[in-house]
Amino acid sequence: MNELIRRYIDHADSALESAEILYQNEQILVLTNRSYYAIFYCICALLATQEVYVKKHQAAKAKFGELFVNTGLFTKDASLIVGQAFNSRQSADYDMEATIRNEKAQTLLADAKTFYNLTVSYLADLSQAD
């Protein structure tokens, strides 16, 4: 695994750790941001394996769908996780009236962990194939 991909995974891991702490402290709106960013960093790591680098979140989502979901490397469920996390983060970060229930926060955190694990597994398989 190259250094850039390793840094993305480290950032994703750190975002997940922060999300866990935020959940324990009932900081749900910020947890939403950290859960989303864990997924975003994973997507950036995945795209880097294809030598694709993006700066915009919408572009990252689109390229992930094109290169990983449409090709069958990841399931449509993974794409749903990305979309739901993105939408929740947008609401939590920019809608000053947003509220997120505890159950939704649990789902966002669990989905971020699932996506992280899928990414790490994919990267491990990719490394073994080399």
Side-chain angles (χ1 to χ4, degrees):
M1 178 180 321
N2 77 33
E3 182 60 28
L4 178 61
I5 294 170
R6 172 83 288 170
R7 279 185 280 164
Y8 279 129
I9 294 303
D10 288 347
H11 276 41
D13 187 49
S14 178
L16 276 177
E17 286 179 24
S18 295
E20 284 277 359
I21 293 166
L22 291 163
Y23 180 73
Q24 293 166 6
N25 289 295
E26 299 178 10
Q27 298 294 312
I28 303 305
L29 293 176
V30 185
L31 163 142
T32 302
N33 175 287
R34 296 292 67 199
S35 294
Y36 167 74
Y37 268 94
I39 293 169
F40 176 73
Y41 294 134
C42 285
I43 290 171
C44 290
L46 292 168
L47 294 176
T49 67
Q50 303 280 327
E51 297 187 16
V52 173
Y53 307 97
V54 296
K55 294 186 187 253
K56 302 216 181 246
H57 293 259
Q58 288 287 17
K61 284 176 35 185
K63 281 295 185 184
F64 172 73
E66 176 187 333
L67 299 173
F68 291 89
V69 177
N70 292 349
T71 60
L73 294 172
F74 277 69
T75 66
K76 290 189 192 251
D77 287 343
S79 182
L80 290 175
I81 287 173
V82 172
Q84 290 169 352
F86 177 81
N87 291 338
S88 293
R89 180 245 170 189
Q90 289 290 101
S91 178
D93 283 357
Y94 301 112
D95 179 357
M96 294 303 115
E97 312 250 336
T99 58
I100 296 178
R101 294 177 176 244
N102 189 54
E103 298 81 25
K104 178 69 173 176
Q106 287 175 332
T107 299
L108 289 168
L109 186 54
D111 284 350
K113 289 178 185 177
T114 296
F115 198 88
Y116 175 86
N117 290 331
L118 289 169
T119 300
V120 169
S121 178
Y122 175 83
L123 293 172
D125 290 348
L126 198 60
S127 291
Q128 290 177 358
D130 286 341

